[in-house]
Amino acid sequence: RLKDHGKGFGDRTTKLGRYKKLIYTESFPDRLSALHRERQLKGWSHAKKIALAADNLTELKNLAKRK
């Protein structure tokens, strides 16, 4: 997927070349599981995504409690 994004395939942000570097990855047994997780993460706030990438579980739990 990273190669596809680099070639301009994907969502609007990656088509416009706004991503700089990969900061987090997860592995999944199949494409469908990966797509479900990607959809979940896209609904998260920027702060929550940064906490996940930094492996800051305390902050991630605090952000998950907010409404």
Side-chain angles (χ1 to χ4, degrees):
R1 289 202 28 95
L2 186 61
K3 288 179 186 178
D4 286 344
H5 286 306
K7 292 177 184 175
F9 299 107
D11 69 8
R12 182 172 179 249
T13 301
T14 56
K15 282 181 184 178
L16 297 173
R18 293 184 186 164
Y19 73 94
K20 301 293 182 204
K21 64 181 177 179
L22 181 66
I23 62 167
Y24 180 78
T25 63
E26 291 182 22
S27 297
F28 294 91
D30 55 70
R31 184 173 174 85
L32 185 60
S33 298
L35 290 173
H36 285 286
R37 178 63 167 165
E38 184 176 5
R39 179 165 287 171
Q40 178 188 33
L41 294 177
K42 284 186 177 187
W44 286 13
S45 68
H46 181 73
K48 196 170 174 182
K49 292 174 192 174
I50 295 300
L52 175 66
D55 199 29
N56 187 341
L57 299 182
T58 303
E59 181 66 12
L60 188 59
K61 287 178 185 178
N62 288 338
L63 290 166
K65 292 178 185 177
R66 294 182 186 174
K67 296 256 177 186

